[in-house]
Amino acid sequence: MAVTQTLDTRLQLVFDNGINESNGNMVTKTKSLTNVKTDATPDQLLAIAEALAPLQTLPLYMVKRNDTDLITAE
């Protein structure tokens, strides 16, 4: 049976950077925050993102959590 261990968590804030005039697709800009506690809850991460969003020049579009896991055999 395989076992996972979370090694690293990254919080990514994705901002709306307008529309690409040539193809009409949305353009986004991403800022990543590292050294996030691996046991942080989704509510805690969203609270951080909402606190940081007003300090940015672009509007917040979405919040992502990226975990890096180590998978080993038990």
Side-chain angles (χ1 to χ4, degrees):
M1 185 163 123
V3 178
T4 63
Q5 175 187 3
T6 303
L7 300 177
D8 182 38
T9 298
R10 178 178 303 155
L11 177 64
Q12 290 188 316
L13 307 178
V14 182
F15 297 95
D16 180 357
N17 199 21
I19 302 293
N20 185 332
E21 293 180 11
S22 65
N23 61 16
N25 290 339
M26 178 184 234
V27 178
T28 60
K29 188 172 195 175
T30 303
K31 293 193 178 184
S32 296
L33 304 171
T34 58
N35 297 324
V36 175
K37 290 187 176 186
T38 57
D39 60 348
T41 66
D43 288 333
Q44 291 170 329
L45 296 178
L46 184 60
I48 296 287
E50 289 174 343
L52 292 174
L55 303 175
Q56 307 302 309
T57 56
L58 299 173
L60 184 63
Y61 176 64
M62 77 172 74
V63 180
K64 294 181 180 180
R65 175 187 186 138
N66 290 332
D67 290 327
T68 302
D69 294 332
L70 174 66
I71 301 173
T72 57
E74 190 173 44

